[in-house]
Amino acid sequence: MLTRGLRPLLLMRVLAIESSCDESAVAILDRRRGLLAHELYSQIELHRAYGGVVPELASRDHVRRLLPLVVRAMAAADTRPTDLTGVAYTAGPGLIGALLSGAALGRSLAYGWALPAIGVHHLEGHLSRLS
């Protein structure tokens, strides 16, 4: 079984982006070595004054925070785009604007790096951690 670019799945390394609600998160996952790096930015303080998540503010904050998180995670994992075999992003459920922010970045990076972009169901992402 091979991925795009004919790299064996044993060499699989994925950049994962999560932006379904009020946290921006990025991780680098390696099939053999597991979690290589992760970065998280919480929007709790941003939304505190409103007593709950404001979807438009969440979306705009993801746009500001996600790319710097990607840069930091890639550096922490000592990973270059050519080391990756794909880019995953949260495809739902969640706040539509927040999801679109992460999907736009994930799909753009994948396109620019000639990698597959993989939309992942938010709950399946949690469940796969358990198996």
Side-chain angles (χ1 to χ4, degrees), residues 3-4 7-8 11-14 81 83-87 115-116 118:
T3 62
R4 185 173 172 192
R7 288 182 263 185
L11 302 177
M12 188 169 70
R13 185 173 292 185
V14 175
D83 298 326
L84 297 171
T85 53
V87 178
L115 296 168
I118 305 140

Side-chain angles (χ1 to χ4, degrees), residues 94-107:
L95 301 173
I96 191 64
L99 291 166
L100 288 172
S101 300
L105 178 61
R107 292 174 63 87

Side-chain angles (χ1 to χ4, degrees), residues 49-61:
Y50 305 100
V53 176
V54 179
E56 182 63 22
L57 293 178
S59 302
R60 290 171 185 258
D61 204 49

Side-chain angles (χ1 to χ4, degrees), residues 14-18 25-29 35-39 69 73:
V14 175
L15 166 68
I17 299 171
E18 204 293 306
V26 173
I28 308 295
L29 303 158
L35 179 65
L36 299 180
H38 64 93
E39 296 290 330
L69 292 175

Side-chain angles (χ1 to χ4, degrees), residues 52-74:
V53 176
V54 179
E56 182 63 22
L57 293 178
S59 302
R60 290 171 185 258
D61 204 49
H62 287 304
V63 170
R64 278 191 298 268
R65 308 292 179 178
L66 281 171
L67 189 55
L69 292 175
V70 168
V71 170
R72 288 202 311 260
M74 295 279 283

